[in-house]
Amino acid sequence: LALWGILMTSSICLRQTDLKALIAYSSVSHMGLVTAAIIVQTPWGLTGAMTLMIAHGLTSSALFTLANTNYERTHTRTLLLVRGLQLAFPLMSTWWLLTNLTNMTMPPTINLLGELFIISTLFNWSSPTIVITGIGTLITATYSLYMFLMTQRGSISTQFRLLPPTHTREHLTLILHLLPLGLLIMKPALISGLFT
């Protein structure tokens, strides 16, 4: 049921037009993996669940922070209306790219480590689960790229030509989200050594 929930909530993400709803459903999808790992009750599963919960907590919070910075400037969360923000905020676009790559568990992120632990645990428990987790991972990559392309690429609307600049506090907040993710991959035993 947890794996079926991953497929359903990931599929809902592909149809979202509201940026914050997309990020929220993305979190529900990732927590389906955590739930499946906890239900299996193996040391690797619990390690993967703990790792992914910490990693996704930072990643999801960073995505909500980015969505809020967009909303403060454009006053809309509709994806079709906030296109082309890379032209207005190139540094913020870099944060969007890094956070989306982390959300889709690209190496060398701690998210990848957590998902590998969980997927291998589920595969050892029942080999057909590799199909469902593989499809879920593919859909996650798809909606993460969709979110990045919809918010950053394309031509910017004429109503958003004069946008206020980003602030240092916003960049600092994003650094404080992504820096721990980068540091944890250098010493993953801090969180993954709890159950092994």
Side-chain angles (χ1 to χ4, degrees):
L1 286 175
L3 294 177
W4 182 248
I6 293 168
L7 292 183
M8 291 298 99
T9 52
S10 295
S11 301
I12 289 171
C13 287
L14 294 174
R15 302 273 305 165
Q16 281 302 315
T17 57
D18 186 296
L19 182 57
K20 283 193 176 180
L22 195 158
I23 296 168
Y25 279 114
S26 162
S27 291
V28 174
S29 170
H30 280 91
M31 289 306 107
L33 265 179
V34 171
T35 305
I38 291 172
I39 290 172
V40 174
Q41 286 289 309
T42 63
W44 270 40
L46 294 174
T47 299
M50 179 66 75
T51 305
L52 191 59
M53 278 191 288
I54 292 170
H56 186 70
L58 290 165
T59 305
S60 184
S61 180
L63 284 170
F64 276 116
T65 301
L66 286 164
N68 186 54
T69 59
N70 279 11
Y71 182 76
E72 284 178 349
R73 283 152 185 82
T74 62
H75 303 291
T76 182
R77 297 188 322 227
T78 306
L79 286 168
L80 289 172
L81 298 177
V82 294
R83 300 192 77 162
L85 291 179
Q86 180 182 12
L87 297 172
F89 309 114
L91 182 55
M92 199 56 77
S93 183
T94 305
W95 292 124
W96 269 104
L97 178 64
L98 290 173
T99 310
N100 275 298
L101 290 176
T102 305
N103 191 49
M104 59 192 271
T105 66
M106 291 293 287
T109 61
I110 196 78
N111 303 53
L112 178 66
L113 183 70
E115 282 202 18
L116 286 177
F117 272 124
I118 293 172
I119 290 171
S120 61
T121 297
L122 294 174
F123 181 71
N124 286 334
W125 175 69
S126 173
S127 53
T129 59
I130 197 74
V131 175
I132 299 173
T133 53
I135 293 170
T137 304
L138 183 66
I139 297 173
T140 300
T142 306
Y143 70 68
S144 293
L145 288 173
Y146 166 73
M147 182 172 23
F148 176 75
L149 292 175
M150 287 299 285
T151 56
Q152 302 305 307
R153 305 296 292 172
S155 57
I156 193 166
S157 174
T158 53
Q159 64 182 350
F160 300 137
R161 292 290 180 199
L162 297 171
L163 294 171
T166 56
H167 304 292
T168 306
R169 65 175 167 80
E170 293 165 335
H171 296 292
L172 181 61
T173 303
L174 291 163
I175 287 170
L176 293 175
H177 279 92
L178 296 177
L179 188 63
L181 288 171
L183 294 176
L184 281 172
I185 197 60
M186 294 180 190
K187 186 130 174 94
L190 291 174
I191 50 176
S192 64
L194 297 174
F195 298 103
T196 55

